[in-house]
Amino acid sequence: MWNKELSIKMGQCPVKKYNEQLLHLIETGIIDTTKIISHTMKLDEAPKAYEIFDNKEQDATKIIFKL
């Protein structure tokens, strides 16, 4: 990286700044989050969900857990 003069920049997402506004957009239906949900599983299936992500067995984008 040094020889190629590459730099890495990172930072945390300002969740608190956007959380309320985004939640409102989701609740009113302006943003449809179902397009990014690839799996819905029970909470006790969480270990299996992690395996899906780790092994890339399936095209997993977002897994929602339900009680």
Side-chain angles (χ1 to χ4, degrees):
M1 288 179 50
W2 179 266
N3 291 336
K4 294 186 179 198
E5 297 182 31
L6 298 176
S7 62
I8 297 175
K9 297 180 181 183
M10 61 182 99
Q12 293 181 336
C13 174
V15 175
K16 290 185 178 185
K17 180 177 181 180
Y18 298 108
N19 192 33
E20 190 174 321
Q21 179 183 4
L22 289 171
L23 186 57
H24 173 72
L25 293 173
I26 293 168
E27 288 175 336
T28 57
I30 295 171
I31 294 178
D32 181 15
T33 56
T34 60
K35 294 179 182 179
I36 63 168
I37 299 170
S38 60
H39 295 74
T40 302
M41 304 172 85
K42 292 183 178 181
L43 186 57
D44 61 351
E45 295 178 294
K48 182 180 178 182
Y50 280 98
E51 284 180 28
I52 290 171
F53 274 117
D54 288 342
N55 299 330
K56 296 178 176 60
E57 298 171 3
Q58 304 167 24
D59 188 22
T61 54
K62 179 68 74 177
I63 298 177
I64 301 297
F65 293 114
K66 295 196 175 194
L67 297 177

